[in-house]
Amino acid sequence: MEEKKKLIVLIGPTAVGKTNLSIKLAHRFNCEVISGDSMQIYRKMDIGTAKIHIDEMDGIKHHLIDIKDPDESFSAAEFQQLVREKIEEIHFRGRTPMIVGGTGLYIQSVLYDYQFTEAPGDDLFRKQLEHKAEVEGYLVLHNELKGIDPTSADNIHPNNVRRVIRALEIYHTTGKTMSEYQSRQKAELLYDVALIGLTMERDRLYERINQRVELMVSNGLIEEVCSLYESGLRDVQSIQAIGYKELYEYFNGKATLEDAIENLKQNSRRYAKRQLTWFRNKMDVNWFDMTDEESRQKNFHGISDFIAGKLALKSNK
């Protein structure tokens, strides 16, 4: 029986401090980092996705960043394939892969024998739903899904119209819900995984999120989104990302700049809450607190010891 490949996975809500810790761990365990963020794949979307800068990488090789143009689509199935290929490549080079991010379904699809449904599509039905969302609003579709498949509705944000439509399409073409397909997935891990989650006291996390948004704005977020808007980018997956959809409302004249920024903060806080709930319900995570400097220092050593013990890896002290 083939030995499972070793893999470090670092997850947690937005603004909890994954990036800084990942660089320290990568140096300690001879890692290459694979981004586990569904939006950092897009070029020209740097500030709003909190994309790591090249100087912050500190010589650590990163993968799955800037691999798509903003008008291209990207799916969990494509992510699964690309990440598994990268894991093989990194091991071939004698290094340890480390996935870092907060997009739960994407990361779960890599770790487990997760089979994406082969349910057929229906172009006409999909176009009808797209038109319905445009005319009546995306909440109409989400409420429709809630009546058919409440489990999937709870796991898919109403703003993620593409996934809501896909869930409705699966039911339309097969008579089975998306959650029925997902419940059949095997729970066995495909890798020898050290699964680490970062958490923080709620008030402190929300304070960091608000500060991060203000820093993004001062660093040019409005100009970044304006450039995408003026390029004619509309109705694509990338601009549904938090940080972009709110400012599109401003550029479309549907919100003041002040309201758009406040909505961005609020949506980011809500997203962080959903991330924590998702990870706690879906994965067997080893949690470490990052609330203050003392906790971060203490738990860096705790995380390092956990990885070394779990994966029998030697660390570079």
Side-chain angles (χ1 to χ4, degrees), residues 86-294:
K86 291 299 179 186
I87 289 171
E88 295 293 326
E89 292 172 13
I90 292 166
H91 272 287
F92 183 77
R93 289 192 284 271
R95 296 178 177 271
T96 303
M98 177 166 55
I99 300 174
V100 180
T103 306
L105 175 65
Y106 280 38
I107 294 172
Q108 184 190 37
S109 76
V110 172
L111 302 185
Y112 298 91
D113 187 17
Y114 197 104
Q115 304 294 322
F116 289 95
T117 176
E118 298 298 323
D122 185 326
D123 289 342
L124 178 59
F125 180 74
R126 189 163 54 248
K127 283 181 170 51
Q128 288 172 344
L129 292 181
E130 289 169 353
H131 178 71
K132 189 173 185 178
E134 187 176 338
V135 173
E136 301 180 39
Y138 56 82
L139 285 176
V140 171
L141 295 188
H142 194 262
N143 288 333
E144 189 174 329
L145 178 62
K146 196 176 292 184
I148 294 168
D149 184 4
T151 301
S152 291
D154 286 344
N155 291 328
I156 302 173
H157 192 273
N159 287 342
N160 195 339
V161 180
R162 188 176 61 88
R163 283 197 68 214
V164 170
I165 289 175
R166 179 54 180 156
L168 290 169
E169 184 182 32
I170 289 170
Y171 183 75
H172 171 74
T173 56
T174 70
K176 296 177 182 177
T177 64
M178 178 183 278
S179 59
E180 284 183 79
Y181 280 102
Q182 292 176 346
S183 67
R184 299 173 186 170
Q185 306 301 331
K186 295 179 182 178
E188 182 186 358
L189 286 165
L190 298 181
Y191 302 96
D192 186 7
V193 180
L195 183 52
I196 299 137
L198 304 185
T199 188
M200 185 176 285
E201 289 179 3
R202 180 81 41 103
D203 289 346
R204 178 60 182 140
L205 178 62
Y206 286 177
E207 180 185 351
R208 283 171 62 93
I209 288 171
N210 291 339
Q211 290 172 347
R212 172 183 274 194
V213 170
E214 290 168 4
L215 184 61
M216 286 177 173
V217 171
S218 65
N219 285 344
L221 176 62
I222 297 166
E223 291 78 9
E224 178 175 274
V225 181
C226 182
S227 177
L228 295 171
Y229 186 85
E230 290 184 343
S231 73
L233 195 68
R234 302 286 191 279
D235 301 321
V236 294
Q237 181 180 346
S238 63
I239 62 169
Q240 292 304 313
I242 294 172
Y244 297 85
K245 62 185 178 184
E246 294 85 2
L247 288 171
Y248 259 64
E249 291 286 293
Y250 164 63
F251 290 119
N252 282 325
K254 296 180 179 179
T256 66
L257 180 57
E258 184 180 47
D259 285 344
I261 293 171
E262 189 54 43
N263 289 339
L264 169 50
K265 291 179 181 179
Q266 184 180 69
N267 288 338
S268 297
R269 295 192 300 267
R270 287 173 174 169
Y271 178 57
K273 184 179 179 181
R274 290 198 306 276
Q275 285 176 299
L276 284 166
T277 300
W278 201 96
F279 285 128
R280 285 170 176 153
N281 290 340
K282 299 286 187 179
M283 293 183 180
D284 185 16
V285 180
N286 298 275
W287 292 99
F288 294 86
D289 182 63
M290 297 281 122
T291 296
D292 52 37
E293 185 59 34
E294 183 179 353

